[in-house]
Amino acid sequence: MYNGVNSTIDALRGKHDSMGSMAAGALTGAIFKSTGIFFLCGKAGSFSHLHSHFLVGIRPMVVAAMLGSSLAGIWSYVKNSV
């Protein structure tokens, strides 16, 4: 998924650089975390103790975007240093 997003950004911008790679990492991380798991927990037959838990939302998307962008930046730096 990252390679497809990175190639699309490169084609739209007309160049390949670290900023494009970092943007692709951020976008890929955000897309990855935009879908997730929804589950219910509680006692069987007791709706008073039923809780819903979301493993999706803005915060996980931001964290995944920052992680993806950071990893792409590190990779670009290492690749350009060698």
Side-chain angles (χ1 to χ4, degrees):
M1 189 163 122
Y2 166 79
N3 286 332
V5 173
N6 193 21
S7 296
T8 301
I9 290 173
D10 290 349
L12 291 173
R13 294 179 68 224
K15 63 180 176 179
H16 177 73
D17 61 0
S18 296
M19 294 306 290
S21 297
M22 291 174 70
L27 189 57
T28 303
I31 292 169
F32 176 70
K33 276 299 187 178
S34 69
T35 60
I37 301 169
F38 171 76
F39 61 94
L40 299 172
C41 67
K43 295 179 182 177
S46 172
F47 287 105
S48 62
H49 293 98
L50 199 58
H51 305 329
S52 62
H53 297 274
F54 289 94
L55 298 179
V56 296
I58 299 299
R59 186 173 183 209
M61 286 175 62
V62 170
V63 170
M66 290 179 4
L67 181 62
S69 181
S70 298
L71 290 174
I74 291 168
W75 169 250
S76 293
Y77 175 77
V78 169
K79 185 176 73 170
N80 291 332
S81 296
V82 173

Coordinates of all heavy atoms in Angstrom, one line a residue:
M1 N 0.8 -1.2 0.0 CA 0.0 0.0 0.0 C 0.9 1.3 0.0 O 0.6 2.2 -0.7 CB -0.9 0.0 1.2 CG -2.0 1.0 1.2 SD -3.2 0.7 2.4 CE -3.2 2.1 3.4
Y2 N 1.9 1.2 0.8 CA 2.8 2.4 0.9 C 3.4 2.7 -0.5 O 3.5 3.8 -0.9 CB 3.9 2.1 1.9 CG 5.1 3.1 1.8 CD1 5.0 4.4 2.3 CD2 6.3 2.8 1.1 CE1 6.0 5.3 2.2 CE2 7.3 3.7 1.0 CZ 7.2 4.9 1.5 OH 8.2 5.8 1.4
N3 N 3.9 1.6 -1.2 CA 4.5 1.9 -2.5 C 3.6 2.5 -3.5 O 4.0 3.3 -4.3 CB 5.1 0.5 -3.0 CG 6.4 0.1 -2.3 OD1 7.1 1.0 -1.8 ND2 6.6 -1.2 -2.3
G4 N 2.3 2.1 -3.5 CA 1.3 2.6 -4.4 C 1.1 4.1 -4.1 O 1.0 4.9 -5.0
V5 N 0.9 4.4 -2.8 CA 0.7 5.8 -2.4 C 1.9 6.7 -2.7 O 1.8 7.8 -3.3 CB 0.4 5.9 -0.9 CG1 0.3 7.4 -0.4 CG2 -1.0 5.2 -0.6
N6 N 3.1 6.1 -2.4 CA 4.4 6.8 -2.7 C 4.5 7.1 -4.2 O 4.9 8.2 -4.6 CB 5.6 6.1 -2.2 CG 6.8 6.9 -2.1 OD1 6.8 8.1 -2.1 ND2 7.9 6.2 -2.1
S7 N 4.2 6.1 -5.0 CA 4.3 6.3 -6.5 C 3.3 7.3 -7.0 O 3.7 8.1 -7.9 CB 4.1 4.9 -7.2 OG 5.1 4.0 -6.8
T8 N 2.1 7.3 -6.4 CA 1.1 8.3 -6.9 C 1.5 9.7 -6.5 O 1.4 10.6 -7.3 CB -0.2 7.9 -6.2 OG1 -0.6 6.6 -6.6 CG2 -1.3 8.9 -6.6
I9 N 2.0 9.9 -5.3 CA 2.5 11.2 -4.9 C 3.7 11.6 -5.7 O 3.7 12.8 -6.2 CB 2.9 11.2 -3.4 CG1 1.7 11.0 -2.5 CG2 3.7 12.4 -3.0 CD1 1.9 10.9 -1.0
D10 N 4.6 10.8 -6.0 CA 5.7 11.1 -6.9 C 5.3 11.5 -8.3 O 5.8 12.5 -8.9 CB 6.7 9.9 -7.0 CG 7.5 9.6 -5.8 OD1 7.4 10.5 -4.8 OD2 8.1 8.6 -5.7
A11 N 4.3 10.8 -8.8 CA 3.8 11.1 -10.2 C 3.1 12.5 -10.2 O 3.2 13.2 -11.1 CB 2.8 10.0 -10.6
L12 N 2.3 12.7 -9.1 CA 1.6 14.0 -9.1 C 2.5 15.2 -8.9 O 2.3 16.3 -9.4 CB 0.6 14.0 -7.9 CG -0.6 13.0 -8.1 CD1 -1.4 13.0 -6.8 CD2 -1.5 13.5 -9.2
R13 N 3.6 15.0 -8.1 CA 4.5 16.1 -7.8 C 5.6 16.2 -8.9 O 6.3 17.2 -9.0 CB 5.2 15.8 -6.5 CG 4.2 16.0 -5.3 CD 4.9 15.7 -4.0 NE 5.8 16.8 -3.7 CZ 7.0 16.6 -3.2 NH1 7.5 15.4 -2.9 NH2 7.8 17.6 -2.9
G14 N 5.8 15.1 -9.7 CA 6.8 15.1 -10.7 C 8.3 14.9 -10.2 O 9.2 15.1 -10.9
K15 N 8.4 14.5 -9.0 CA 9.7 14.2 -8.4 C 9.6 13.2 -7.3 O 8.6 13.1 -6.7 CB 10.4 15.5 -8.0 CG 9.7 16.2 -6.8 CD 10.5 17.5 -6.5 CE 9.8 18.3 -5.4 NZ 10.6 19.5 -5.1
H16 N 10.7 12.6 -7.0 CA 10.8 11.7 -5.8 C 11.8 12.2 -4.8 O 13.0 12.5 -5.1 CB 11.3 10.3 -6.3 CG 11.4 9.3 -5.2 ND1 10.4 8.8 -4.5 CD2 12.5 8.8 -4.6 CE1 10.8 8.0 -3.6 NE2 12.1 8.0 -3.6
D17 N 11.3 12.5 -3.6 CA 12.2 13.0 -2.6 C 11.7 12.5 -1.2 O 10.7 11.8 -1.1 CB 12.3 14.5 -2.6 CG 11.0 15.2 -2.4 OD1 9.9 14.5 -2.2 OD2 11.0 16.5 -2.4
S18 N 12.4 12.9 -0.2 CA 12.1 12.4 1.2 C 10.7 12.9 1.6 O 10.0 12.2 2.4 CB 13.1 12.9 2.2 OG 14.4 12.3 1.9
M19 N 10.4 14.1 1.2 CA 9.1 14.7 1.7 C 7.9 13.9 1.1 O 6.9 13.7 1.8 CB 9.0 16.2 1.2 CG 9.9 17.1 2.0 SD 9.9 17.0 3.8 CE 8.3 17.8 4.0
G20 N 8.0 13.5 -0.1 CA 7.0 12.6 -0.7 C 6.9 11.3 0.0 O 5.8 10.8 0.2
S21 N 8.0 10.7 0.3 CA 8.1 9.4 1.0 C 7.4 9.6 2.4 O 6.7 8.7 2.9 CB 9.5 8.9 1.2 OG 10.0 8.7 -0.1
M22 N 7.7 10.7 3.1 CA 7.2 10.9 4.4 C 5.7 11.1 4.4 O 4.9 10.7 5.2 CB 7.9 12.0 5.1 CG 9.3 11.7 5.5 SD 10.2 13.1 6.1 CE 9.4 13.3 7.7
A23 N 5.2 11.9 3.3 CA 3.8 12.1 3.1 C 3.1 10.7 2.9 O 2.0 10.5 3.4 CB 3.5 13.1 2.0
A24 N 3.7 9.9 2.1 CA 3.1 8.6 1.8 C 3.1 7.7 3.0 O 2.1 7.0 3.2 CB 4.0 7.9 0.7
G25 N 4.1 7.8 3.9 CA 4.1 7.0 5.1 C 3.0 7.5 6.0 O 2.3 6.7 6.7
A26 N 2.8 8.8 6.1 CA 1.7 9.4 6.9 C 0.3 9.0 6.4 O -0.5 8.6 7.2 CB 1.8 10.9 7.0
L27 N 0.1 9.1 5.1 CA -1.2 8.8 4.5 C -1.5 7.3 4.7 O -2.6 6.9 5.0 CB -1.2 9.2 3.1 CG -2.5 9.1 2.4 CD1 -3.6 9.9 3.1 CD2 -2.4 9.6 0.9
T28 N -0.5 6.5 4.4 CA -0.6 5.0 4.6 C -1.0 4.6 6.0 O -1.9 3.8 6.3 CB 0.6 4.3 4.1 OG1 0.9 4.6 2.8 CG2 0.4 2.8 4.2
G29 N -0.3 5.2 7.0 CA -0.6 4.9 8.4 C -2.0 5.4 8.8 O -2.7 4.7 9.5
A30 N -2.4 6.5 8.3 CA -3.8 7.0 8.6 C -4.8 6.1 8.0 O -5.8 5.8 8.6 CB -3.9 8.5 8.1
I31 N -4.6 5.7 6.7 CA -5.6 4.8 6.1 C -5.6 3.5 6.8 O -6.7 2.9 7.0 CB -5.2 4.6 4.6 CG1 -5.4 5.9 3.8 CG2 -6.0 3.5 4.0 CD1 -4.9 5.9 2.4
F32 N -4.5 3.0 7.2 CA -4.4 1.7 7.9 C -5.2 1.7 9.2 O -5.9 0.8 9.5 CB -3.0 1.3 8.2 CG -2.8 0.1 9.0 CD1 -3.0 -1.2 8.4 CD2 -2.3 0.2 10.3 CE1 -2.9 -2.3 9.2 CE2 -2.2 -1.0 11.0 CZ -2.4 -2.2 10.5
K33 N -5.1 2.8 9.9 CA -5.9 2.9 11.2 C -7.3 3.5 11.0 O -8.0 3.6 12.0 CB -5.1 3.7 12.2 CG -4.0 3.0 12.9 CD -4.7 1.8 13.7 CE -3.7 1.1 14.6 NZ -4.4 0.1 15.4
S34 N -7.7 3.8 9.8 CA -9.0 4.4 9.7 C -10.1 3.2 9.7 O -11.3 3.5 9.9 CB -9.2 5.1 8.4 OG -9.1 4.3 7.3
T35 N -9.6 2.0 9.6 CA -10.5 0.9 9.7 C -10.0 0.1 10.9 O -8.8 0.1 11.3 CB -10.5 0.0 8.5 OG1 -9.1 -0.5 8.3 CG2 -10.9 0.7 7.3
G36 N -10.9 -0.6 11.6 CA -10.4 -1.3 12.8 C -11.5 -2.3 13.3 O -12.4 -2.7 12.6
I37 N -11.4 -2.5 14.6 CA -12.3 -3.5 15.2 C -13.2 -2.9 16.1 O -12.9 -2.0 16.9 CB -11.4 -4.5 16.0 CG1 -10.4 -5.2 15.0 CG2 -12.3 -5.6 16.7 CD1 -9.4 -6.0 15.8
F38 N -14.5 -3.2 16.0 CA -15.5 -2.8 17.0 C -16.0 -4.0 17.7 O -16.3 -5.0 17.0 CB -16.7 -2.1 16.3 CG -17.8 -1.8 17.1 CD1 -17.8 -0.8 18.0 CD2 -19.0 -2.6 17.1 CE1 -18.9 -0.5 18.8 CE2 -20.0 -2.3 17.9 CZ -20.0 -1.3 18.7
F39 N -16.0 -4.0 19.0 CA -16.5 -5.2 19.7 C -17.2 -4.8 20.9 O -17.0 -3.7 21.5 CB -15.4 -6.2 20.0 CG -14.3 -5.6 20.9 CD1 -14.3 -5.8 22.3 CD2 -13.2 -5.0 20.4 CE1 -13.3 -5.3 23.1 CE2 -12.2 -4.5 21.2 CZ -12.3 -4.6 22.6
L40 N -18.1 -5.6 21.4 CA -18.9 -5.4 22.6 C -18.4 -6.4 23.7 O -18.1 -7.5 23.4 CB -20.4 -5.6 22.3 CG -21.0 -4.7 21.2 CD1 -22.4 -5.2 20.9 CD2 -21.0 -3.3 21.7
C41 N -18.4 -5.9 24.9 CA -18.1 -6.8 26.0 C -19.1 -6.5 27.1 O -19.6 -5.4 27.3 CB -16.7 -6.6 26.5 SG -16.3 -5.0 27.2
G42 N -19.3 -7.5 27.9 CA -20.2 -7.4 29.0 C -20.8 -8.7 29.4 O -20.4 -9.8 28.7
K43 N -21.6 -8.8 30.4 CA -22.2 -10.0 30.8 C -23.3 -10.4 29.8 O -24.0 -9.6 29.3 CB -22.8 -9.9 32.2 CG -21.8 -9.6 33.3 CD -22.5 -9.5 34.6 CE -21.5 -9.2 35.7 NZ -22.2 -9.0 37.0
A44 N -23.3 -11.7 29.5 CA -24.3 -12.2 28.6 C -25.7 -11.9 29.1 O -26.0 -12.2 30.2 CB -24.1 -13.7 28.3
G45 N -26.5 -11.3 28.3 CA -27.9 -11.0 28.7 C -28.1 -9.8 29.5 O -29.2 -9.4 29.9
S46 N -27.0 -9.1 29.9 CA -27.1 -7.9 30.7 C -26.6 -6.7 29.9 O -25.4 -6.5 29.7 CB -26.2 -8.1 31.9 OG -26.1 -6.9 32.7
F47 N -27.6 -5.9 29.5 CA -27.2 -4.7 28.7 C -26.8 -3.6 29.5 O -26.2 -2.6 29.1 CB -28.4 -4.3 27.8 CG -28.7 -5.2 26.7 CD1 -29.7 -6.1 26.7 CD2 -27.9 -5.2 25.6 CE1 -30.0 -7.0 25.7 CE2 -28.1 -6.1 24.5 CZ -29.2 -7.0 24.6
S48 N -27.0 -3.7 30.9 CA -26.5 -2.6 31.7 C -25.0 -2.6 31.9 O -24.4 -1.5 32.2 CB -27.1 -2.7 33.1 OG -26.7 -3.9 33.7
H49 N -24.3 -3.7 31.6 CA -22.9 -3.7 31.7 C -22.2 -3.8 30.3 O -21.0 -4.2 30.2 CB -22.4 -5.0 32.5 CG -22.8 -4.8 34.0 ND1 -23.9 -5.4 34.5 CD2 -22.2 -4.2 35.0 CE1 -24.0 -5.2 35.8 NE2 -23.0 -4.4 36.1
L50 N -23.0 -3.5 29.3 CA -22.5 -3.7 27.9 C -21.7 -2.4 27.6 O -22.1 -1.3 27.7 CB -23.6 -3.8 27.0 CG -23.4 -4.4 25.6 CD1 -22.7 -5.8 25.7 CD2 -24.7 -4.5 24.9
H51 N -20.5 -2.6 27.2 CA -19.6 -1.5 26.8 C -19.2 -1.7 25.3 O -19.0 -2.8 24.9 CB -18.3 -1.4 27.6 CG -18.5 -1.3 29.1 ND1 -19.6 -0.7 29.7 CD2 -17.8 -1.8 30.1 CE1 -19.5 -0.8 31.0 NE2 -18.4 -1.5 31.3
S52 N -19.0 -0.6 24.6 CA -18.5 -0.8 23.3 C -17.1 -0.2 23.3 O -16.8 0.8 23.9 CB -19.3 0.0 22.3 OG -19.4 1.3 22.6
H53 N -16.2 -0.8 22.6 CA -14.8 -0.4 22.5 C -14.5 -0.2 21.0 O -14.7 -1.1 20.2 CB -13.9 -1.5 23.0 CG -14.1 -1.7 24.5 ND1 -13.5 -1.0 25.5 CD2 -14.9 -2.6 25.2 CE1 -13.9 -1.4 26.7 NE2 -14.7 -2.4 26.5
F54 N -13.9 0.9 20.7 CA -13.5 1.2 19.3 C -12.0 1.3 19.3 O -11.3 1.9 20.1 CB -14.0 2.6 18.9 CG -15.5 2.6 18.6 CD1 -16.3 3.0 19.6 CD2 -16.0 2.3 17.4 CE1 -17.7 3.1 19.4 CE2 -17.3 2.3 17.2 CZ -18.2 2.7 18.2
L55 N -11.4 0.6 18.4 CA -10.0 0.6 18.1 C -9.7 1.4 16.9 O -8.7 1.2 16.2 CB -9.4 -0.8 18.0 CG -9.6 -1.7 19.2 CD1 -9.0 -3.1 19.0 CD2 -8.9 -1.1 20.4
V56 N -10.6 2.4 16.6 CA -10.4 3.3 15.5 C -10.7 4.7 15.9 O -11.2 4.9 17.0 CB -11.4 2.9 14.3 CG1 -11.1 1.5 13.8 CG2 -12.8 3.0 14.8
G57 N -10.4 5.6 15.1 CA -10.7 7.0 15.5 C -9.6 7.9 15.1 O -8.6 7.5 14.5
I58 N -9.7 9.2 15.4 CA -8.7 10.2 15.1 C -7.4 10.0 15.7 O -6.4 10.0 15.1 CB -9.3 11.6 15.4 CG1 -10.6 11.9 14.6 CG2 -8.2 12.7 15.1 CD1 -10.4 11.8 13.1
R59 N -7.4 9.7 17.0 CA -6.1 9.5 17.7 C -5.3 8.4 17.2 O -4.1 8.6 16.9 CB -6.4 9.3 19.2 CG -5.1 9.3 20.0 CD -5.4 9.3 21.5 NE -4.2 9.3 22.2 CZ -4.0 8.8 23.4 NH1 -5.0 8.3 24.0 NH2 -2.8 8.9 24.0
P60 N -5.8 7.2 17.0 CA -5.0 6.1 16.4 C -4.5 6.4 15.0 O -3.4 6.1 14.6 CB -5.9 4.9 16.4 CG -7.0 5.2 17.4 CD -7.1 6.7 17.4
M61 N -5.3 7.2 14.2 CA -4.9 7.6 12.9 C -3.8 8.5 12.9 O -2.8 8.4 12.1 CB -6.1 8.2 12.1 CG -7.2 7.2 11.7 SD -8.6 8.0 10.9 CE -7.9 8.8 9.5
V62 N -3.8 9.5 13.9 CA -2.7 10.4 14.0 C -1.4 9.7 14.4 O -0.3 10.0 13.9 CB -3.1 11.6 14.9 CG1 -1.9 12.4 15.3 CG2 -4.2 12.4 14.3
V63 N -1.5 8.8 15.4 CA -0.4 8.1 15.9 C 0.2 7.3 14.7 O 1.4 7.3 14.5 CB -0.7 7.2 17.1 CG1 0.4 6.3 17.4 CG2 -1.1 8.1 18.3
A64 N -0.6 6.6 14.0 CA -0.1 5.7 12.9 C 0.5 6.6 11.8 O 1.5 6.2 11.2 CB -1.3 4.9 12.3
A65 N -0.1 7.8 11.5 CA 0.4 8.7 10.5 C 1.8 9.2 10.9 O 2.8 9.2 10.1 CB -0.5 9.8 10.3
M66 N 2.0 9.5 12.2 CA 3.3 10.0 12.7 C 4.3 8.9 12.6 O 5.4 9.1 12.2 CB 3.1 10.6 14.1 CG 2.4 11.9 14.2 SD 2.1 12.6 15.8 CE 2.9 11.7 17.0
L67 N 3.9 7.7 13.0 CA 4.8 6.6 13.0 C 5.3 6.3 11.5 O 6.4 6.1 11.2 CB 4.2 5.3 13.6 CG 5.1 4.1 13.7 CD1 6.3 4.3 14.5 CD2 4.3 2.9 14.2
G68 N 4.3 6.2 10.6 CA 4.6 5.9 9.2 C 5.5 7.0 8.6 O 6.4 6.7 7.9
S69 N 5.2 8.2 8.9 CA 6.0 9.3 8.4 C 7.4 9.3 8.9 O 8.4 9.5 8.2 CB 5.4 10.7 8.7 OG 6.1 11.7 8.2
S70 N 7.6 9.0 10.2 CA 8.9 8.9 10.9 C 9.7 7.8 10.3 O 10.9 8.0 10.0 CB 8.7 8.7 12.4 OG 8.1 9.8 13.0
L71 N 9.1 6.6 10.1 CA 9.8 5.5 9.5 C 10.2 5.8 8.1 O 11.4 5.4 7.7 CB 9.0 4.2 9.6 CG 8.8 3.7 11.0 CD1 7.8 2.5 11.0 CD2 10.1 3.3 11.7
A72 N 9.4 6.4 7.3 CA 9.7 6.7 5.9 C 10.8 7.7 5.9 O 11.7 7.7 5.1 CB 8.5 7.3 5.2
G73 N 10.8 8.7 6.8 CA 11.9 9.7 6.9 C 13.2 9.1 7.3 O 14.3 9.4 6.7
I74 N 13.2 8.2 8.2 CA 14.4 7.4 8.6 C 15.0 6.6 7.5 O 16.2 6.6 7.2 CB 14.2 6.6 9.9 CG1 14.0 7.5 11.1 CG2 15.4 5.6 10.1 CD1 13.4 6.7 12.3
W75 N 14.1 5.9 6.8 CA 14.5 5.1 5.6 C 15.1 5.9 4.5 O 16.1 5.6 4.0 CB 13.3 4.3 5.1 CG 13.6 3.7 3.8 CD1 13.1 4.0 2.6 CD2 14.5 2.6 3.5 NE1 13.6 3.2 1.6 CE2 14.5 2.3 2.2 CE3 15.3 1.8 4.4 CZ2 15.3 1.3 1.6 CZ3 16.1 0.9 3.8 CH2 16.1 0.6 2.4
S76 N 14.5 7.1 4.3 CA 15.0 8.0 3.2 C 16.4 8.5 3.6 O 17.3 8.6 2.7 CB 14.0 9.2 3.0 OG 12.8 8.7 2.4
Y77 N 16.6 8.8 4.9 CA 17.8 9.3 5.3 C 18.9 8.3 5.2 O 20.0 8.5 4.6 CB 17.8 9.8 6.8 CG 19.1 10.2 7.3 CD1 19.6 11.4 7.0 CD2 19.8 9.4 8.2 CE1 20.9 11.8 7.5 CE2 21.0 9.7 8.7 CZ 21.6 11.0 8.4 OH 22.8 11.3 8.9
V78 N 18.6 7.0 5.6 CA 19.6 5.9 5.5 C 19.9 5.6 4.1 O 21.0 5.5 3.7 CB 19.1 4.7 6.3 CG1 19.9 3.5 6.0 CG2 19.0 5.0 7.8
K79 N 18.9 5.6 3.2 CA 19.0 5.3 1.8 C 19.9 6.3 1.1 O 20.8 6.0 0.3 CB 17.7 5.2 1.1 CG 17.7 4.7 -0.3 CD 16.3 4.6 -0.9 CE 15.8 5.9 -1.1 NZ 14.5 5.9 -1.9
N80 N 19.7 7.6 1.5 CA 20.5 8.7 0.8 C 21.9 8.7 1.4 O 22.8 9.3 0.7 CB 19.8 10.0 1.0 CG 18.5 10.1 0.2 OD1 18.4 9.4 -0.8 ND2 17.6 10.9 0.6
S81 N 22.1 8.2 2.6 CA 23.5 8.3 3.2 C 24.4 7.2 2.7 O 25.6 7.3 2.8 CB 23.3 8.1 4.7 OG 22.6 9.2 5.2
V82 N 23.8 6.1 2.1 CA 24.6 5.0 1.7 C 25.2 5.2 0.3 O 24.9 5.8 -0.5 CB 23.8 3.7 1.8 CG1 24.6 2.5 1.2 CG2 23.5 3.4 3.2

